């Protein structure tokens, strides 16, 4: 008998509020919304009643790590685990590490201390956030109060980034596509991108000061929740420049839960199409 469960993986933080925001977003997942329209067979009834969802963290949160989440689901009889990586970019090296430890890829592409997890269930891995339209909507909502005359404003979308070959390119491509979505939503003159790793913020701020003097720069942090990078790193790196910034991040926002639901629903549809749903 096939039994499905969901494992949501995010980074983790020593900040209890950070963890609580993730847990709230996971708790808000709508099982009815996920399953509606997926199946017409008898298995649907069982899924409504037995569809465990667990939130786990890559590091720091004791007793809530990825192996703990795997154990929790397998103890409930889960045979097929839909894994939702609640990470900003497919360019994150953590995604590569997680894929390796889950057995999705045979070897990691980056140096890692992670070892394969003890896992018996089949793993069905979803995609990270990248340039999803719902995420663009969230970012726009978080910064729109800073905007006065959007067609004469520059938005600088700032993400963590990566120096690793290949991973940097994935970060850049995802950020660029997301920037295009935000530009369309807000009608801004231009939406540019910058990574903290490698540090591109200074070059971008100086570039726009030359190209568009008098055009205010609105800085939009691309982070899941407020913390060290949004409260300290970004303001420190931009302290020499004039800009508008409120430090607001993606959480809390109901569309994060809706994004996760879309990822889960897509995997279930794929499994149904492949005849793997089971009776």
């Amino acid at each position: 008998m096939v039994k499905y469960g969901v494992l949501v993986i995010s980074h983790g933080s020593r900040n209890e509020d950070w963890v609580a925001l993730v847990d709230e977003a996971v708790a808000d997942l709508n099982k009815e919304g996920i399953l509606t329209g997926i199946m017409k067979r008898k298995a649907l009834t069982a899924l409504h009643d037995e569809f465990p969802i667990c939130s786990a963290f890559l590091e720091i949160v004791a007793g809530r790590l990825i192996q703990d989440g795997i154990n929790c689901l397998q103890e409930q009889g889960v045979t097929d685990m839909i894994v939702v990586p609640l990470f900003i970019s497919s360019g994150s090296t953590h995604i590569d590490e997680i894929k390796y430890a889950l057995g999705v890829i045979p070897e990691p592409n980056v140096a890692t201390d992670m070892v394969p997890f003890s896992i018996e269930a089949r793993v069905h891995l979803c995609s990270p956030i990248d340039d999803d339209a719902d995420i663009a909507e969230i970012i726009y909502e978080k910064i729109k109060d800073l905007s006065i005359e959007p067609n004469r404003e520059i938005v600088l979308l700032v993400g963590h980034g990566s120096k690793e070959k290949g991973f940097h390119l994935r970060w850049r491509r995802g950020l660029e596509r997301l920037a295009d979505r935000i530009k369309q939503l807000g009608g801004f003159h231009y939406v540019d991108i910058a990574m903290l790793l490698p540090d591109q913020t200074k070059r971008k701020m100086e570039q726009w000061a030359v190209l568009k003097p008098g055009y205010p720069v609105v800085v939009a942090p691309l982070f899941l929740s407020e913390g060290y990078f949004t409260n300290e790193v970004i303001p420190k790196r931009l302290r020499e420049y004039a800009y508008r910034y409120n430090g607001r991040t993606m959480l809390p926002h109901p569309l994060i839960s809706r994004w996760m639901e879309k990822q889960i629903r897509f995997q279930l549809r794929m499994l149904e199409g492949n005849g793997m749903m089971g009776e």
Side-chain angles (χ1 to χ4, degrees):
M1 177 68 182
V2 174
K3 181 172 179 178
Y4 289 86
V6 173
L7 180 65
V8 178
I9 300 175
S10 49
H11 188 279
S13 171
R14 291 179 178 83
N15 187 324
E16 293 182 359
D17 291 338
W18 194 104
V19 175
L21 285 171
V22 171
D23 284 343
E24 289 167 10
V26 174
D28 285 343
L29 288 173
N30 182 351
K31 292 184 183 181
E32 185 77 23
I34 292 169
L35 298 171
T36 297
I38 299 298
M39 295 181 300
K40 304 300 182 184
R41 301 197 292 270
K42 291 185 292 184
L44 178 59
T45 302
L47 274 174
H48 275 291
D49 298 329
E50 299 181 15
F51 192 60
I53 298 174
C54 180
S55 174
F57 301 90
L58 176 67
E59 59 183 13
I60 299 172
V61 188
R64 302 280 309 279
L65 301 180
I66 298 173
Q67 186 65 63
D68 298 312
I70 292 169
N71 294 345
C72 178
L73 292 175
Q74 291 187 156
E75 287 166 3
Q76 297 179 71
V78 168
T79 63
D80 287 74
M81 197 174 298
I82 297 172
V83 178
V84 181
L86 190 54
F87 285 80
I88 300 298
S89 172
S90 55
S92 168
T93 54
H94 293 317
I95 298 294
D96 188 78
E97 294 178 291
I98 291 168
K99 284 181 177 180
Y100 164 65
L102 288 173
V104 175
I105 57 176
E107 296 292 338
N109 296 294
V110 292
T112 179
D113 293 329
M114 290 184 72
V115 297
F117 297 119
S118 175
I119 183 168
E120 298 177 2
R122 289 178 290 268
V123 172
H124 310 284
L125 184 64
C126 301
S127 300
I129 287 170
D130 283 326
D131 65 318
D132 188 89
D134 284 343
I135 304 305
E137 181 68 36
I138 293 171
I139 300 299
Y140 172 61
E141 285 188 23
K142 299 287 185 171
I143 64 170
K144 65 181 181 181
D145 289 346
L146 299 173
S147 176
I148 299 170
E149 192 177 1
N151 65 330
R152 291 184 55 82
E153 294 167 346
I154 308 297
V155 173
L156 186 63
L157 183 61
V158 179
H160 184 280
S162 175
K163 290 182 178 179
E164 295 287 339
K165 184 178 180 180
F167 293 89
H168 177 86
L169 180 59
R170 290 176 213 165
W171 261 103
R172 180 166 62 81
R173 287 176 173 170
L175 287 171
E176 287 173 345
R177 293 192 297 265
L178 190 61
D180 287 342
R181 291 185 185 276
I182 295 169
K183 184 178 186 298
Q184 292 175 19
L185 283 170
F188 299 106
H189 178 76
Y190 198 84
V191 178
D192 202 357
I193 65 168
M195 299 182 210
L196 297 176
L197 189 68
D199 186 12
Q200 302 170 329
T201 52
K202 181 177 180 179
R203 177 170 61 84
K204 293 288 187 172
M205 293 297 287
E206 292 180 349
Q207 170 187 300
W208 286 112
V210 172
L211 292 177
K212 291 291 178 178
Y215 277 54
V217 176
V218 176
V219 175
L222 184 58
F223 287 84
L224 190 63
S225 187
E226 293 180 22
Y228 173 68
F229 287 101
T230 59
N231 296 336
E232 297 186 40
V233 175
I234 292 176
K236 183 177 180 180
R237 293 192 184 178
L238 297 178
R239 64 181 180 272
E240 300 175 19
Y241 307 99
Y243 63 99
R244 299 175 189 166
Y245 180 69
N246 57 20
R248 296 180 66 192
T249 52
M250 287 187 277
L251 285 173
H253 199 288
L255 283 180
I256 291 292
S257 300
R258 304 296 84 80
W259 173 81
M260 288 190 281
E261 289 168 11
K262 285 194 304 184
Q263 299 301 306
I264 299 164
R265 196 159 51 241
F266 177 79
Q267 283 295 328
L268 288 173
R269 285 176 176 150
M270 290 285 289
L271 292 167
E272 183 184 30
N274 292 331
M276 295 178 62
M277 294 305 295
E279 292 288 348

